Amino acid sequence: MSGAAQGVGLVKEVTPRFEGWNLVPLAGVPLVGRMFVGRYNGISDTWRDSAGILRTVLDNDSQKVTRAAQNYRNAERPG
């Protein structure tokens, strides 16, 4: 679980976001392009927040997640 938590943390850190320095190619783009940037950044922020929550769960509650997965496996077995 700690490896998965590290992977999720890495994804959180490298999630792209448009900032002032990388908007230079869009300097001539009309307002529609800027609205796209706003929506893209909103999605990016949501992804970063979700990855942060998932990493916290994997770091702090990995035993609970493992037990829950085992319970689901046991419930699916015919018996």
Side-chain angles (χ1 to χ4, degrees):
M1 289 286 183
S2 65
Q6 289 174 353
V8 170
L10 179 63
V11 167
K12 178 185 175 202
E13 296 304 317
V14 298
T15 300
R17 191 169 200 289
F18 285 111
E19 300 292 340
W21 62 270
N22 58 4
L23 288 176
V24 173
L26 297 176
V29 175
L31 185 59
V32 174
R34 293 197 181 117
M35 288 183 346
F36 165 76
V37 169
R39 294 182 104 190
Y40 181 85
N41 282 344
I43 293 167
S44 181
D45 292 343
T46 301
W47 174 252
R48 287 176 66 103
D49 293 345
S50 300
I53 292 167
L54 180 57
R55 180 176 184 166
T56 301
V57 167
L58 291 172
D59 276 339
N60 299 338
D61 298 324
S62 61
Q63 295 292 336
K64 291 178 186 176
V65 172
T66 303
R67 276 186 298 206
Q70 186 61 43
N71 288 340
Y72 280 111
R73 277 190 226 114
N74 290 340
E76 286 180 350
R77 289 187 186 139

